[in-house]
Amino acid sequence: MLNRRDFLAAGLAAPLAYAAGSFVPAWAQSAPNFGAPTLPNPGFRRMKMGDVEIISLIDGIARRPLGEEFVKNAPLAEVKALLTSQGLPTDYIDVPFTPFLVVAGNRRILMDTGLGEWGGPTTGKLLENLRAAGFQAGDIDTVLITHYHGDHINGLRNKAGEFVFSKAKVLVPSVEHGFWMDDAKMAAAPAGMKGAFDNVRRTFAQMPAGMLQRFEPGTEVLPGIKSIAAFGHTPGHTLFEVASAGQTFTFVGDLTNVPALFARNPDWAVTFDMDAEAARKVRREVFQRITASGSMLGGFHFPFPAFGKMAASGSGYAFQAIA
Ligand SMILES: [Zn+2]
């Protein structure tokens, strides 16, 4: 069960409160206990694509009560009906957190970092699963960040203040960095959003010179890896497209939260989308393109192994995980 501290640590309270207008929603404190989510074991999955290997690595799963606020623009009864039609529970939502590792030649590129030491007991498993897959934190040469919500950046730094991927360059979208590091934006933000700004500052404070590198979304960030602007979920939310031997894999970050809801209904807005209309448009555009090309995709909040393909389904899309 997620308690108040888990929400704060997850960096989830802030965007949620931003929408709700209060710091901690009442249901977060009085939620019934739905039990703990089951973590996959092993917590990694390898996929070969051309000359590269892509490995999904689960950091954990947070189980949260499903309330009216989770989908901002649909009645709870409709949300529950969609879950029921897919054989999913309706009292709670399991939200997985899944960074990806790209192994390309001698490069080891991690995409997003999970919650690290800052989340609840069913999260923070990235390093364990990285080791199980045969890698150490020190092997990572590059970390690519999609956006600055806590579940994506908190794993960069442990509670002792050390940078976990000590040999890595950390590549961040310039727009995203600019927004969260802007003192005027922080001062103007609603009280409930201040925690998310503080979290970003704690994470990036005194990052050694040369470790942090900003890129313009839309540019190639590494050989064979292109960044794609997908602003909406956050002001600088960015995707990464890995290409090898004529095939592509797109890491879509938080283009959707759980696909059982937000791929099936791309017009639904999760409570964490900061600009719901921009997020809705880019979600439709990207899914349309990925479906038409038949390319692989992976999503941070997709069910394990979190990569597969998207297929058109009704007025939306259905995620089909690889077997
Ligand atoms: Zn997220």
Side-chain angles (χ1 to χ4, degrees), residues 108 110 127 130-131 135-143 155 163-168:
R108 309 280 181 269
L110 182 67
L127 295 181
L130 190 65
R131 280 193 292 274
F135 303 92
Q136 306 291 327
D139 297 336
I140 305 298
D141 56 77
T142 310
V143 180
F163 290 101
V164 172
F165 307 101
S166 55
K167 301 200 179 107

Side-chain angles (χ1 to χ4, degrees), residues 147 151-152 254 300-301:
H147 68 293
D151 47 333
H152 301 257
D254 277 20
F300 191 78
H301 298 298

Side-chain angles (χ1 to χ4, degrees), residues 165-190:
F165 307 101
S166 55
K167 301 200 179 107
K169 304 248 184 257
V170 179
L171 274 54
V172 303
S174 55
V175 188
E176 185 75 359
H177 193 79
F179 173 82
W180 293 101
M181 298 304 278
D182 184 334
D183 290 339
K185 291 265 189 323
M186 182 168 173

Side-chain angles (χ1 to χ4, degrees), residues 246-306:
Q247 295 173 269
T248 58
F249 166 83
T250 309
F251 176 51
V252 298
D254 277 20
L255 187 70
T256 71
N257 198 275
V258 291
L261 295 177
F262 305 101
R264 296 293 292 269
N265 272 306
D267 300 331
W268 283 4
V270 74
T271 184
F272 312 117
D273 283 347
M274 291 171 68
D275 179 340
E277 180 54 17
R280 184 189 75 78
K281 279 192 186 144
V282 74
R283 184 155 53 240
R284 281 213 170 266
E285 278 165 28
V286 172
F287 283 163
Q288 170 60 35
R289 188 156 42 78
I290 286 176
T291 310
S293 69
S295 79
M296 300 286 301
L297 83 166
F300 191 78
H301 298 298
F302 284 20
F304 189 78

